[in-house]
Amino acid sequence: MKVSIRLMAMPTAAGSTQGLKPAPLALLPPIPLYRRLLRSHRKYLLKEQRVLGDEYVKHEFRLHQKIENPIHIIGFLTEWQMYAQKIEGNSWRGEKLEKSKIEKMSDQQLGQLYELMESIRKKELDEDGGGDGF
């Protein structure tokens, strides 16, 4: 019996403990992920959100360009890939941060997060009360 190499390479669920759960997606390399993020911003975000998101993505990828620690690289790419999936699925609105992620943040990151929250609240108040002059 001649066995095709293609058939031998097919993944199976036999012996897996995950049952019917989908297999985790493979991580995209940095440049395709970067492009995917910018395309997602262009397609799914409002102009103001896109500008902020694009600047942040570009800044973060520049900062992490010379990182050599594989664990740090995998964590970085994983988080950005999950972010891209949320943007594309429009499931990011109203989502709360996980407590474990907040606990891992530095004081500077917490300060930036607080500033972002304050600017969003201010904008919402301006939009709700705009035009009344009060």
Side-chain angles (χ1 to χ4, degrees):
M1 181 174 153
K2 186 175 179 180
V3 178
S4 168
I5 293 175
R6 183 172 177 220
L7 291 176
M8 290 175 50
M10 296 298 290
T12 65
S16 76
T17 58
Q18 292 185 350
L20 298 176
K21 291 182 184 176
L25 295 174
L27 284 178
L28 288 174
I31 293 174
L33 179 59
Y34 177 79
R35 290 178 181 152
R36 178 182 175 184
L37 291 164
L38 296 179
R39 275 194 306 270
S40 297
H41 286 176
R42 189 171 45 245
K43 188 172 181 180
Y44 298 104
L45 298 181
L46 301 174
K47 185 177 180 179
E48 293 172 335
Q49 295 168 335
R50 177 183 169 202
V51 170
L52 178 66
D54 286 354
E55 287 178 14
Y56 187 71
V57 167
K58 290 174 184 177
H59 179 72
E60 284 295 307
F61 271 75
R62 270 189 226 112
L63 285 177
H64 291 83
Q65 195 170 20
K66 296 184 180 171
I67 298 296
E68 294 181 11
N69 182 347
I71 294 172
H72 191 99
I73 293 169
I74 290 171
F76 179 81
L77 295 175
T78 300
E79 289 298 319
W80 279 110
Q81 191 159 326
M82 289 188 323
Y83 167 79
Q85 291 169 351
K86 287 179 182 179
I87 292 291
E88 292 164 354
N90 208 16
S91 64
W92 59 276
R93 296 179 191 266
E95 184 177 315
K96 294 185 178 185
L97 287 174
E98 296 172 16
K99 189 175 181 178
S100 62
K101 288 185 181 181
I102 293 173
E103 290 171 351
K104 292 179 184 177
M105 290 184 180
S106 68
D107 290 340
Q108 180 184 6
Q109 290 171 320
L110 290 171
Q112 290 174 338
L113 187 61
Y114 182 77
E115 288 175 11
L116 177 62
M117 180 190 70
E118 287 297 312
S119 66
I120 291 170
R121 283 187 177 165
K122 183 177 185 271
K123 183 173 181 184
E124 287 174 350
L125 289 174
D126 291 346
E127 289 175 358
D128 290 343
D132 291 342
F134 295 110

